[in-house]
Amino acid sequence: MNLIDMLKNYFKIAFRNLWSKKAYTILNTLGLAVGMTSGLLIFLFISYHLSTDRHHQKFDRIFRIVVDLHLEDGSVETYPEAPLPMAKTLREGFSQVEQAASLKTLRELTVSIPTIVNGTSQRFLEINTAAFIESEWFEIFDYQWLKGNPKTSLREPNTVVLTESWAKKYFGNEDPIGKVLDLNHLTKVKVTGIVADPPRTTNNDVQLFLSMKTLPHLIPDQNLNDWWSLSSTDRVYLTLKTPSSAAQVAAAFPALAQKHYGKDASVFQFHIQPLADVHFDVKRMGGTLIQRSLLWSLGWIAAFLILIACLNFINLATAQSLSRVKEIGIRKTLGSTQGQVMCQFLLETTLIVVGATGLALALVILLLPMFNQWLGLHLSFTFNTSSALFLLLLLIVIIALAGGYPAFSMSGFSPWQALKGKGVLPKRGGFSLRQSMIVVQFAICQALIIGTLVVTRQMKYVEQSDLGFEKDNILVVNLPDPSPTALTAFKNSLLQYPEIQAVSAAYRPPSASVMNGGSFKFDNRAQWEAFPIRERLGDADFLKTYGLKLVAGRNVAPSDTIREYVVNEALLKKLNIKDPNDILGHKIETYLSPVAAPVVGVVRDFHLRSLHEQIEPCVISTQTARYRKVGIRIASASPSKTLDHVHQIWQKVYPNEVFSYEYLDEQLAKFYETEQLTVRLASVFSTIVILIGCLGLYGLVLFMVARRTKEIGVRKVLGASVASIVKLLSFDFLKPILVAIVLATPAAWYLMNQWLADFVYHIEVDWLIPTSAGLLTLIIAFLTLSFRSTKAALSDPVEALKVE
């Protein structure tokens, strides 16, 4: 027989075997397809985040300057910012630096277009998408220039470069070059360049680039040469001539700090951070809230899902091998070698894997839009080098894992044993290999269920925690002009509406992602305190609007400037003051004002940031010039109607501004984006693990029932009950599942306690969580087993006794 005829024969036998055992073929294909679909989705997710900013040609030579503040009390605060003048110093004073540039993001920018539409000029409120940059920025990062010159477009003041989509948003299909934008009603800038929209996989999501020389026109009080000005919106990036010179640059930072900060140089410790680390720097809030550890965890989950699918396949294949031992014996007696028998079984595996791959690709394409919407991402599947290599590797691994062992074990039966039906699969430590694989599958299942329950409970704890202030039904409106006249008119008009219960203007709500702080002196002490103090600046209605509770003294009196302070309990603990009344009347001098002011009240502690952070000492005072937000407490009866009313009042008081708002609870939920993402991913992949495990169990029970049909008939004739037969068929599978639960619980317990350690305020992993997870695993497994077992137990015993 030539090679072609032999291959034809292999394929004919393979198709015949797969077709004759359709139930097993379908179960194997589905199990592998579900595992591969999960693996592909996780691959796309990981690739998306790992590819961030890698489109820049100088990616490996691009770095960011970050700072750690080492305070006198021994604490260290980490920030992603650097002083703006540092870029010029790096350019001119460091031979290792090829180029450096600073960037200052504008949190909010009102952009007006002179074009008249419906009698008024168009206005847009840009939030975190506009920035001042130095022209050297375009020598560090790659942009596709459609119009203009990267070297000259931003050399002059009052110039702007737009992305293509922003240019279309402002000017439609007109040529934007030379057009004028009015910014914050303070200065006009001319469009001098257009760049293509940057890829979605970038951390620098700037769409409107203003020349750095425009900054004094728009923010007159900003000093571009001030090394002491460290703002959360300021960044400094650089390219090095060689990546290895990063250590040399970092070694010069202490001397640089000494030059600009003098005796305080030890406080400012600058570091050079590779661009590859920026996207994952959750600690400094410099990325998109994705931790590398999450990607590693997902990678392991993908590997486990594929492993479980392969174990399912091996389980079903080895179980079926017991019905094919005589076939193997005949083939070997007629001259087939072990290698030829292996090839036959590997071909059957390959056909199933190829079918599963096609089904997995179809499922990925079908599910990807829902997956993106659910996770808030923009993943796409395209056949490129990386995806092709991943698919090829996946096919090889699955065929080797799923087909290798069954093919080797089945082809190894001796002909005389096979013809007598004596082919036996090995046992390991009292467990058959099949039971051992069930242990592995359900151990992973148990661990993922425990993880999902812990993460879900922690997020529920976060949602239900007492933050020390009210967060529900509070509308936070951006304030464009904190001038007392407009602000008073806005507040008075709002308070006349019966559905509005309280209104307060403030710099920020009680809890915010960005934190300001600095030094302070208490009472008559000569030295500044060793620890920093935080601030919340708001009018006299701040406490009432947000529900902050006084535990001693009174609220601050209405004022446009800092005249009095209310402090929190955390400050008292730091100062070792036990009775809140003891601090009343004592004066505090803070970084906010050179004039010491008395403490008039103490509020109960409230969370200034997320539950990841400890509550820090804080002062509350008034300072109208810095107010940027208006908090509006509304009745829950008709929030949409109230929102419309707020909008109408806004248009009357601020006719030239864009109305922008956010509900406080939605704003606070952004603190936990990573955790919410973890909840979603953990829940979906836990469900998939359970689904794959149940498919495997169902297939094994199906096979077991087929082998023991006559035995079941005999037992029923002799009076066995349905329950006893279900127990007979199910018990062998429940035993390894119990072992899996016992093995997986301690490991999952440890890992989840490690995860919870990232929260200062968190739940305790008590016995109820692993117990609930174990019961859930057992119930799901038993329902899967009992479904087919009960059907077999209810079958006609006469028909069962006819089975050969």
PDB file of all heavy atoms in Angstrom, residues 307-336:
ATOM      1  N   LEU A 307      -5.749  23.434  29.563  1.00  0.00           N
ATOM      2  CA  LEU A 307      -5.373  22.177  30.205  1.00  0.00           C
ATOM      3  C   LEU A 307      -6.602  21.368  30.593  1.00  0.00           C
ATOM      4  O   LEU A 307      -6.657  20.147  30.365  1.00  0.00           O
ATOM      5  CB  LEU A 307      -4.527  22.471  31.445  1.00  0.00           C
ATOM      6  CG  LEU A 307      -4.149  21.255  32.308  1.00  0.00           C
ATOM      7  CD1 LEU A 307      -3.269  20.302  31.529  1.00  0.00           C
ATOM      8  CD2 LEU A 307      -3.462  21.706  33.595  1.00  0.00           C
ATOM      9  N   ILE A 308      -7.600  22.048  31.162  1.00  0.00           N
ATOM     10  CA  ILE A 308      -8.825  21.344  31.559  1.00  0.00           C
ATOM     11  C   ILE A 308      -9.521  20.751  30.345  1.00  0.00           C
ATOM     12  O   ILE A 308     -10.004  19.604  30.381  1.00  0.00           O
ATOM     13  CB  ILE A 308      -9.771  22.314  32.308  1.00  0.00           C
ATOM     14  CG1 ILE A 308      -9.198  22.627  33.693  1.00  0.00           C
ATOM     15  CG2 ILE A 308     -11.160  21.711  32.460  1.00  0.00           C
ATOM     16  CD1 ILE A 308      -9.956  23.706  34.422  1.00  0.00           C
ATOM     17  N   ALA A 309      -9.578  21.517  29.242  1.00  0.00           N
ATOM     18  CA  ALA A 309     -10.190  21.000  28.024  1.00  0.00           C
ATOM     19  C   ALA A 309      -9.434  19.770  27.520  1.00  0.00           C
ATOM     20  O   ALA A 309     -10.040  18.792  27.075  1.00  0.00           O
ATOM     21  CB  ALA A 309     -10.212  22.094  26.952  1.00  0.00           C
ATOM     22  N   CYS A 310      -8.087  19.813  27.607  1.00  0.00           N
ATOM     23  CA  CYS A 310      -7.279  18.671  27.185  1.00  0.00           C
ATOM     24  C   CYS A 310      -7.493  17.473  28.102  1.00  0.00           C
ATOM     25  O   CYS A 310      -7.576  16.321  27.647  1.00  0.00           O
ATOM     26  CB  CYS A 310      -5.804  19.048  27.149  1.00  0.00           C
ATOM     27  SG  CYS A 310      -5.380  20.224  25.846  1.00  0.00           S
ATOM     28  N   LEU A 311      -7.570  17.733  29.419  1.00  0.00           N
ATOM     29  CA  LEU A 311      -7.816  16.645  30.365  1.00  0.00           C
ATOM     30  C   LEU A 311      -9.166  15.990  30.111  1.00  0.00           C
ATOM     31  O   LEU A 311      -9.306  14.766  30.219  1.00  0.00           O
ATOM     32  CB  LEU A 311      -7.742  17.170  31.804  1.00  0.00           C
ATOM     33  CG  LEU A 311      -6.361  17.608  32.302  1.00  0.00           C
ATOM     34  CD1 LEU A 311      -6.458  18.164  33.715  1.00  0.00           C
ATOM     35  CD2 LEU A 311      -5.372  16.458  32.258  1.00  0.00           C
ATOM     36  N   ASN A 312     -10.151  16.816  29.781  1.00  0.00           N
ATOM     37  CA  ASN A 312     -11.459  16.273  29.409  1.00  0.00           C
ATOM     38  C   ASN A 312     -11.332  15.323  28.226  1.00  0.00           C
ATOM     39  O   ASN A 312     -11.892  14.228  28.206  1.00  0.00           O
ATOM     40  CB  ASN A 312     -12.399  17.421  29.009  1.00  0.00           C
ATOM     41  CG  ASN A 312     -13.376  17.746  30.105  1.00  0.00           C
ATOM     42  OD1 ASN A 312     -13.431  17.063  31.121  1.00  0.00           O
ATOM     43  ND2 ASN A 312     -14.136  18.801  29.927  1.00  0.00           N
ATOM     44  N   PHE A 313     -10.597  15.799  27.227  1.00  0.00           N
ATOM     45  CA  PHE A 313     -10.414  14.991  26.020  1.00  0.00           C
ATOM     46  C   PHE A 313      -9.729  13.675  26.369  1.00  0.00           C
ATOM     47  O   PHE A 313     -10.145  12.602  25.923  1.00  0.00           O
ATOM     48  CB  PHE A 313      -9.576  15.777  25.006  1.00  0.00           C
ATOM     49  CG  PHE A 313      -9.504  15.130  23.653  1.00  0.00           C
ATOM     50  CD1 PHE A 313     -10.311  15.574  22.621  1.00  0.00           C
ATOM     51  CD2 PHE A 313      -8.630  14.081  23.402  1.00  0.00           C
ATOM     52  CE1 PHE A 313     -10.253  14.970  21.366  1.00  0.00           C
ATOM     53  CE2 PHE A 313      -8.567  13.475  22.166  1.00  0.00           C
ATOM     54  CZ  PHE A 313      -9.371  13.931  21.143  1.00  0.00           C
ATOM     55  N   ILE A 314      -8.649  13.762  27.177  1.00  0.00           N
ATOM     56  CA  ILE A 314      -7.916  12.556  27.565  1.00  0.00           C
ATOM     57  C   ILE A 314      -8.831  11.608  28.339  1.00  0.00           C
ATOM     58  O   ILE A 314      -8.826  10.386  28.111  1.00  0.00           O
ATOM     59  CB  ILE A 314      -6.688  12.940  28.417  1.00  0.00           C
ATOM     60  CG1 ILE A 314      -5.669  13.700  27.558  1.00  0.00           C
ATOM     61  CG2 ILE A 314      -6.037  11.699  29.022  1.00  0.00           C
ATOM     62  CD1 ILE A 314      -4.554  14.339  28.368  1.00  0.00           C
ATOM     63  N   ASN A 315      -9.613  12.171  29.243  1.00  0.00           N
ATOM     64  CA  ASN A 315     -10.539  11.354  30.037  1.00  0.00           C
ATOM     65  C   ASN A 315     -11.494  10.571  29.151  1.00  0.00           C
ATOM     66  O   ASN A 315     -11.677   9.363  29.304  1.00  0.00           O
ATOM     67  CB  ASN A 315     -11.338  12.249  30.976  1.00  0.00           C
ATOM     68  CG  ASN A 315     -10.936  12.050  32.426  1.00  0.00           C
ATOM     69  OD1 ASN A 315     -10.339  11.047  32.766  1.00  0.00           O
ATOM     70  ND2 ASN A 315     -11.264  12.991  33.267  1.00  0.00           N
ATOM     71  N   LEU A 316     -12.127  11.281  28.224  1.00  0.00           N
ATOM     72  CA  LEU A 316     -13.103  10.638  27.347  1.00  0.00           C
ATOM     73  C   LEU A 316     -12.420   9.654  26.404  1.00  0.00           C
ATOM     74  O   LEU A 316     -12.942   8.571  26.135  1.00  0.00           O
ATOM     75  CB  LEU A 316     -13.871  11.695  26.553  1.00  0.00           C
ATOM     76  CG  LEU A 316     -14.822  12.574  27.378  1.00  0.00           C
ATOM     77  CD1 LEU A 316     -15.427  13.676  26.513  1.00  0.00           C
ATOM     78  CD2 LEU A 316     -15.938  11.738  27.991  1.00  0.00           C
ATOM     79  N   ALA A 317     -11.234  10.055  25.900  1.00  0.00           N
ATOM     80  CA  ALA A 317     -10.534   9.174  24.955  1.00  0.00           C
ATOM     81  C   ALA A 317     -10.082   7.885  25.629  1.00  0.00           C
ATOM     82  O   ALA A 317     -10.224   6.794  25.068  1.00  0.00           O
ATOM     83  CB  ALA A 317      -9.342   9.903  24.356  1.00  0.00           C
ATOM     84  N   THR A 318      -9.528   8.010  26.830  1.00  0.00           N
ATOM     85  CA  THR A 318      -9.056   6.801  27.521  1.00  0.00           C
ATOM     86  C   THR A 318     -10.228   5.931  27.972  1.00  0.00           C
ATOM     87  O   THR A 318     -10.112   4.699  27.999  1.00  0.00           O
ATOM     88  CB  THR A 318      -8.198   7.174  28.741  1.00  0.00           C
ATOM     89  OG1 THR A 318      -8.898   8.124  29.545  1.00  0.00           O
ATOM     90  CG2 THR A 318      -6.877   7.763  28.315  1.00  0.00           C
ATOM     91  N   ALA A 319     -11.330   6.584  28.329  1.00  0.00           N
ATOM     92  CA  ALA A 319     -12.513   5.803  28.697  1.00  0.00           C
ATOM     93  C   ALA A 319     -13.023   5.018  27.493  1.00  0.00           C
ATOM     94  O   ALA A 319     -13.362   3.834  27.589  1.00  0.00           O
ATOM     95  CB  ALA A 319     -13.610   6.729  29.219  1.00  0.00           C
ATOM     96  N   GLN A 320     -13.045   5.674  26.325  1.00  0.00           N
ATOM     97  CA  GLN A 320     -13.498   5.003  25.110  1.00  0.00           C
ATOM     98  C   GLN A 320     -12.538   3.899  24.680  1.00  0.00           C
ATOM     99  O   GLN A 320     -12.928   2.946  24.008  1.00  0.00           O
ATOM    100  CB  GLN A 320     -13.610   6.006  23.965  1.00  0.00           C
ATOM    101  CG  GLN A 320     -14.757   6.994  24.114  1.00  0.00           C
ATOM    102  CD  GLN A 320     -14.739   7.986  22.972  1.00  0.00           C
ATOM    103  OE1 GLN A 320     -14.970   7.621  21.820  1.00  0.00           O
ATOM    104  NE2 GLN A 320     -14.445   9.241  23.273  1.00  0.00           N
ATOM    105  N   SER A 321     -11.259   4.049  25.064  1.00  0.00           N
ATOM    106  CA  SER A 321     -10.269   3.060  24.641  1.00  0.00           C
ATOM    107  C   SER A 321     -10.629   1.662  25.122  1.00  0.00           C
ATOM    108  O   SER A 321     -10.274   0.662  24.507  1.00  0.00           O
ATOM    109  CB  SER A 321      -8.881   3.447  25.160  1.00  0.00           C
ATOM    110  OG  SER A 321      -8.816   3.304  26.561  1.00  0.00           O
ATOM    111  N   LEU A 322     -11.334   1.580  26.259  1.00  0.00           N
ATOM    112  CA  LEU A 322     -11.734   0.283  26.786  1.00  0.00           C
ATOM    113  C   LEU A 322     -12.690  -0.435  25.847  1.00  0.00           C
ATOM    114  O   LEU A 322     -12.808  -1.656  25.879  1.00  0.00           O
ATOM    115  CB  LEU A 322     -12.377   0.457  28.173  1.00  0.00           C
ATOM    116  CG  LEU A 322     -11.463   1.085  29.245  1.00  0.00           C
ATOM    117  CD1 LEU A 322     -12.230   1.274  30.543  1.00  0.00           C
ATOM    118  CD2 LEU A 322     -10.237   0.216  29.465  1.00  0.00           C
ATOM    119  N   SER A 323     -13.404   0.339  25.008  1.00  0.00           N
ATOM    120  CA  SER A 323     -14.319  -0.288  24.039  1.00  0.00           C
ATOM    121  C   SER A 323     -13.642  -0.542  22.696  1.00  0.00           C
ATOM    122  O   SER A 323     -14.242  -1.102  21.790  1.00  0.00           O
ATOM    123  CB  SER A 323     -15.554   0.601  23.837  1.00  0.00           C
ATOM    124  OG  SER A 323     -15.163   1.822  23.230  1.00  0.00           O
ATOM    125  N   ARG A 324     -12.352  -0.116  22.596  1.00  0.00           N
ATOM    126  CA  ARG A 324     -11.664  -0.278  21.310  1.00  0.00           C
ATOM    127  C   ARG A 324     -10.452  -1.204  21.421  1.00  0.00           C
ATOM    128  O   ARG A 324      -9.638  -1.273  20.504  1.00  0.00           O
ATOM    129  CB  ARG A 324     -11.215   1.097  20.796  1.00  0.00           C
ATOM    130  CG  ARG A 324     -12.374   2.032  20.505  1.00  0.00           C
ATOM    131  CD  ARG A 324     -11.905   3.359  19.937  1.00  0.00           C
ATOM    132  NE  ARG A 324     -11.314   3.211  18.614  1.00  0.00           N
ATOM    133  CZ  ARG A 324     -10.858   4.241  17.890  1.00  0.00           C
ATOM    134  NH1 ARG A 324     -10.925   5.472  18.381  1.00  0.00           N
ATOM    135  NH2 ARG A 324     -10.332   4.041  16.696  1.00  0.00           N
ATOM    136  N   VAL A 325     -10.329  -1.914  22.559  1.00  0.00           N
ATOM    137  CA  VAL A 325      -9.146  -2.749  22.726  1.00  0.00           C
ATOM    138  C   VAL A 325      -9.109  -3.903  21.724  1.00  0.00           C
ATOM    139  O   VAL A 325      -8.037  -4.278  21.225  1.00  0.00           O
ATOM    140  CB  VAL A 325      -9.064  -3.291  24.170  1.00  0.00           C
ATOM    141  CG1 VAL A 325      -8.718  -2.207  25.145  1.00  0.00           C
ATOM    142  CG2 VAL A 325     -10.355  -3.982  24.595  1.00  0.00           C
ATOM    143  N   LYS A 326     -10.283  -4.462  21.419  1.00  0.00           N
ATOM    144  CA  LYS A 326     -10.295  -5.569  20.452  1.00  0.00           C
ATOM    145  C   LYS A 326      -9.923  -5.075  19.059  1.00  0.00           C
ATOM    146  O   LYS A 326      -9.224  -5.755  18.304  1.00  0.00           O
ATOM    147  CB  LYS A 326     -11.664  -6.244  20.439  1.00  0.00           C
ATOM    148  CG  LYS A 326     -11.926  -7.067  21.691  1.00  0.00           C
ATOM    149  CD  LYS A 326     -13.200  -7.881  21.578  1.00  0.00           C
ATOM    150  CE  LYS A 326     -13.392  -8.749  22.824  1.00  0.00           C
ATOM    151  NZ  LYS A 326     -14.642  -9.545  22.774  1.00  0.00           N
ATOM    152  N   GLU A 327     -10.404  -3.841  18.728  1.00  0.00           N
ATOM    153  CA  GLU A 327     -10.023  -3.240  17.435  1.00  0.00           C
ATOM    154  C   GLU A 327      -8.506  -3.104  17.355  1.00  0.00           C
ATOM    155  O   GLU A 327      -7.892  -3.424  16.319  1.00  0.00           O
ATOM    156  CB  GLU A 327     -10.683  -1.870  17.281  1.00  0.00           C
ATOM    157  CG  GLU A 327     -10.226  -1.101  16.048  1.00  0.00           C
ATOM    158  CD  GLU A 327     -10.513   0.393  16.134  1.00  0.00           C
ATOM    159  OE1 GLU A 327     -11.415   0.791  16.906  1.00  0.00           O
ATOM    160  OE2 GLU A 327      -9.817   1.147  15.434  1.00  0.00           O
ATOM    161  N   ILE A 328      -7.897  -2.651  18.448  1.00  0.00           N
ATOM    162  CA  ILE A 328      -6.444  -2.466  18.482  1.00  0.00           C
ATOM    163  C   ILE A 328      -5.748  -3.819  18.330  1.00  0.00           C
ATOM    164  O   ILE A 328      -4.758  -3.960  17.600  1.00  0.00           O
ATOM    165  CB  ILE A 328      -6.018  -1.777  19.785  1.00  0.00           C
ATOM    166  CG1 ILE A 328      -6.599  -0.365  19.842  1.00  0.00           C
ATOM    167  CG2 ILE A 328      -4.490  -1.709  19.909  1.00  0.00           C
ATOM    168  CD1 ILE A 328      -6.507   0.275  21.217  1.00  0.00           C
ATOM    169  N   GLY A 329      -6.285  -4.847  19.029  1.00  0.00           N
ATOM    170  CA  GLY A 329      -5.688  -6.177  18.938  1.00  0.00           C
ATOM    171  C   GLY A 329      -5.720  -6.720  17.537  1.00  0.00           C
ATOM    172  O   GLY A 329      -4.739  -7.301  17.047  1.00  0.00           O
ATOM    173  N   ILE A 330      -6.865  -6.586  16.853  1.00  0.00           N
ATOM    174  CA  ILE A 330      -6.991  -7.079  15.470  1.00  0.00           C
ATOM    175  C   ILE A 330      -6.014  -6.354  14.548  1.00  0.00           C
ATOM    176  O   ILE A 330      -5.337  -6.961  13.714  1.00  0.00           O
ATOM    177  CB  ILE A 330      -8.443  -6.911  14.984  1.00  0.00           C
ATOM    178  CG1 ILE A 330      -9.372  -7.855  15.765  1.00  0.00           C
ATOM    179  CG2 ILE A 330      -8.550  -7.164  13.482  1.00  0.00           C
ATOM    180  CD1 ILE A 330     -10.833  -7.610  15.534  1.00  0.00           C
ATOM    181  N   ARG A 331      -5.933  -5.001  14.710  1.00  0.00           N
ATOM    182  CA  ARG A 331      -5.043  -4.203  13.853  1.00  0.00           C
ATOM    183  C   ARG A 331      -3.588  -4.636  14.049  1.00  0.00           C
ATOM    184  O   ARG A 331      -2.825  -4.751  13.083  1.00  0.00           O
ATOM    185  CB  ARG A 331      -5.196  -2.713  14.163  1.00  0.00           C
ATOM    186  CG  ARG A 331      -6.514  -2.121  13.660  1.00  0.00           C
ATOM    187  CD  ARG A 331      -6.746  -0.738  14.232  1.00  0.00           C
ATOM    188  NE  ARG A 331      -5.760   0.206  13.748  1.00  0.00           N
ATOM    189  CZ  ARG A 331      -5.877   0.937  12.638  1.00  0.00           C
ATOM    190  NH1 ARG A 331      -6.961   0.804  11.895  1.00  0.00           N
ATOM    191  NH2 ARG A 331      -4.938   1.771  12.272  1.00  0.00           N
ATOM    192  N   LYS A 332      -3.202  -4.883  15.309  1.00  0.00           N
ATOM    193  CA  LYS A 332      -1.830  -5.296  15.571  1.00  0.00           C
ATOM    194  C   LYS A 332      -1.566  -6.721  15.063  1.00  0.00           C
ATOM    195  O   LYS A 332      -0.474  -7.036  14.553  1.00  0.00           O
ATOM    196  CB  LYS A 332      -1.528  -5.205  17.062  1.00  0.00           C
ATOM    197  CG  LYS A 332      -1.313  -3.777  17.551  1.00  0.00           C
ATOM    198  CD  LYS A 332      -0.625  -3.771  18.898  1.00  0.00           C
ATOM    199  CE  LYS A 332      -0.078  -2.403  19.214  1.00  0.00           C
ATOM    200  NZ  LYS A 332       0.734  -2.416  20.436  1.00  0.00           N
ATOM    201  N   THR A 333      -2.568  -7.607  15.197  1.00  0.00           N
ATOM    202  CA  THR A 333      -2.423  -8.990  14.715  1.00  0.00           C
ATOM    203  C   THR A 333      -2.244  -9.021  13.202  1.00  0.00           C
ATOM    204  O   THR A 333      -1.509  -9.846  12.655  1.00  0.00           O
ATOM    205  CB  THR A 333      -3.653  -9.825  15.118  1.00  0.00           C
ATOM    206  OG1 THR A 333      -3.795  -9.787  16.542  1.00  0.00           O
ATOM    207  CG2 THR A 333      -3.505 -11.272  14.667  1.00  0.00           C
ATOM    208  N   LEU A 334      -2.914  -8.066  12.517  1.00  0.00           N
ATOM    209  CA  LEU A 334      -2.821  -7.992  11.055  1.00  0.00           C
ATOM    210  C   LEU A 334      -1.576  -7.251  10.591  1.00  0.00           C
ATOM    211  O   LEU A 334      -1.427  -6.983   9.391  1.00  0.00           O
ATOM    212  CB  LEU A 334      -4.076  -7.335  10.491  1.00  0.00           C
ATOM    213  CG  LEU A 334      -5.379  -8.118  10.680  1.00  0.00           C
ATOM    214  CD1 LEU A 334      -6.569  -7.309  10.167  1.00  0.00           C
ATOM    215  CD2 LEU A 334      -5.308  -9.466   9.951  1.00  0.00           C
ATOM    216  N   GLY A 335      -0.721  -6.846  11.533  1.00  0.00           N
ATOM    217  CA  GLY A 335       0.565  -6.280  11.136  1.00  0.00           C
ATOM    218  C   GLY A 335       0.784  -4.817  11.418  1.00  0.00           C
ATOM    219  O   GLY A 335       1.856  -4.279  11.104  1.00  0.00           O
ATOM    220  N   SER A 336      -0.198  -4.123  11.985  1.00  0.00           N
ATOM    221  CA  SER A 336      -0.009  -2.701  12.281  1.00  0.00           C
ATOM    222  C   SER A 336       1.008  -2.541  13.412  1.00  0.00           C
ATOM    223  O   SER A 336       0.989  -3.287  14.395  1.00  0.00           O
ATOM    224  CB  SER A 336      -1.329  -2.066  12.710  1.00  0.00           C
ATOM    225  OG  SER A 336      -2.231  -2.012  11.626  1.00  0.00           O
TER     226      SER A 336
END
